[in-house]
Amino acid sequence: MNCKQTIYPFTALVGQERMQEALILNVINPALGGVLIRGEKGTAKSTAVRALADLFSSLEVVDLPISATEDQVVGSLNMEQAIKTGEKTFEPGLLAKAHKQMLYIDEINLLDDHLVDVLLDAAAMGVNTVEREGISHSHPAEFVLVGTMNPEEGDLRPQLLDRFALSVEVRGEQNPQARVEVVKRRLAFERDPESFARQYQDAQQSLRENILYAKSIVRDVTAADDLLETAAKISIKLEVDGHRADLMMIKTALTLAAFAGRTSAVKSDLSRAAALVLPHRLRRTPFEDYKQDWSDVEQLIYEECAV
């Protein structure tokens, strides 16, 4: 008897293309460093994360509760073993469990800033190093970091926002037909999950194959010097701090090219990458207010990428 719960198909989601793209890019290239999904409740944030993981039998979602302690996250000394045998051994935490998996944190803005910093360090380095009671222990920690949050409940510090490679803002559909389709699909899924999922089998398989192929070639994708120069010009004109934005734009453009089945990134990849990399890095206006100026940013990106 198959007791596996049927998960809502990733390809059945309606109207959240940018969120889906950001998640897919991080699965193709976990070295990107994660994605922050900001938006109101009921916009399929959690559904999208679990649906994407369900595409691959080897990928699971490891939940990190906001009540978690540092020892639970990074690991700790096994005191019981130390008392019994005198040997100091390491007890793995959630970061070890999340290796090669997807680490999901709902309401990440309510997680202790120190823990967020630790998570982002591990995601960027691919290694978790713990020093406790004279023990220094390192282990691989390559995972897809996904944080979701409702901005109305508080924000992350700008320094932490910048550490996320990508960010997307999601909101409920404003098109009546799209909203109707969301409800129709959800009701159909709840009525008969297996039958509903079967309708998307071909689309799911096609997406799975595209992602796996992109993963196989992403390290071979190249970017010409003029693309790097364009990324630099965009960052300079937008007055973003440091060089992380430039690097993330290029790495994201390379991953987008891989997802398209190409081994060289082009300016259209960079334009799409900028829309995922820059919004949470604009320092002249708060993230909550960037929407009113984003059309100007898009025009700048278009002009630079069209040169």
Side-chain angles (χ1 to χ4, degrees):
M1 183 175 65
N2 183 8
C3 296
K4 181 182 177 182
Q5 180 184 5
T6 301
I7 303 296
Y8 194 89
F10 188 77
T11 54
L13 292 169
V14 176
Q16 301 293 3
E17 290 84 2
R18 186 163 289 184
M19 173 174 65
Q20 290 176 286
E21 182 175 67
L23 289 168
I24 288 170
L25 293 177
N26 273 274
V27 171
I28 293 171
N29 185 5
L32 280 179
V35 56
L36 179 65
I37 305 172
R38 302 163 50 111
E40 57 199 34
K41 296 177 180 178
T43 48
K45 298 188 293 292
S46 177
T47 298
V49 172
R50 300 183 193 285
L52 182 58
D54 189 59
L55 276 173
F56 305 94
S57 58
S58 61
L59 184 62
E60 68 174 286
V61 178
V62 176
D63 290 287
L64 193 158
I66 58 174
S67 59
T69 65
E70 182 174 356
D71 283 350
Q72 289 174 325
V73 174
V74 303
S76 63
L77 179 68
N78 188 327
M79 294 302 298
E80 183 178 351
Q81 180 76 5
I83 292 171
K84 286 182 177 180
T85 67
E87 297 179 359
K88 295 180 178 180
T89 59
F90 179 72
E91 189 74 23
L94 287 171
L95 288 184
K97 182 180 180 182
H99 181 53
K100 300 294 185 182
Q101 306 300 331
M102 186 176 286
L103 185 62
Y104 177 65
I105 311 166
D106 191 23
E107 299 183 319
I108 191 171
N109 51 318
L110 304 182
L111 189 67
D112 183 85
D113 281 350
H114 171 65
L115 285 182
V116 177
D117 223 355
V118 168
L119 292 167
L120 291 168
D121 277 341
M125 300 298 293
V127 175
N128 176 44
T129 300
V130 185
E131 295 185 357
R132 292 283 191 279
E133 304 294 332
I135 288 182
S136 180
H137 181 83
S138 296
H139 65 78
E142 298 175 7
F143 52 85
V144 177
L145 178 63
V146 181
T148 60
M149 58 177 284
N150 183 347
E152 295 178 357
E153 298 173 351
D155 214 336
L156 289 172
R157 289 188 289 114
Q159 297 92 327
L160 297 179
L161 277 173
D162 180 59
R163 298 286 301 283
F164 274 95
L166 312 180
S167 74
V168 292
E169 183 173 0
V170 294
R171 65 189 71 182
E173 281 292 330
Q174 298 305 302
N175 179 284
Q177 287 72 33
R179 291 181 77 99
V180 168
E181 187 62 23
V182 170
V183 174
K184 279 185 175 181
R185 293 188 187 186
R186 192 69 210 186
L187 290 175
F189 174 74
E190 292 178 0
R191 185 163 51 247
D192 190 342
E194 293 183 3
S195 176
F196 182 82
R198 280 195 295 271
Q199 298 177 43
Y200 293 88
Q201 280 181 343
D202 290 345
Q204 294 279 98
Q205 181 62 23
S206 178
L207 178 59
R208 184 184 301 111
E209 291 174 357
N210 288 345
I211 292 173
L212 290 174
Y213 180 68
K215 286 175 72 70
S216 74
I217 67 169
V218 68
R219 291 182 180 274
D220 300 321
V221 182
T222 59
D225 286 351
D226 67 327
L227 204 67
L228 275 64
E229 185 176 342
T230 301
K233 287 180 179 178
I234 291 171
S235 292
I236 291 169
K237 288 189 176 182
L238 292 177
E239 300 180 6
V240 295
D241 294 330
H243 300 282
R244 186 173 285 121
D246 308 43
L247 178 60
M248 289 298 104
M249 274 191 282
I250 294 300
K251 290 176 70 173
T252 303
L254 294 174
T255 310
L256 281 163
F259 188 40
R262 291 183 272 105
T263 54
S264 61
V266 296
K267 287 191 174 181
S268 59
D269 297 320
L270 183 63
S271 178
R272 288 168 63 194
L276 294 168
V277 169
L278 293 174
H280 59 303
R281 292 186 166 89
L282 299 183
R283 66 186 176 96
R284 286 181 293 179
T285 56
F287 187 92
E288 292 84 352
D289 300 327
Y290 92 91
K291 302 182 218 51
Q292 64 187 15
D293 301 316
W294 187 245
S295 60
D296 295 335
V297 175
E298 285 183 321
Q299 182 63 27
L300 169 63
I301 294 167
Y302 173 80
E303 290 170 356
E304 290 295 339
C305 290
V307 174

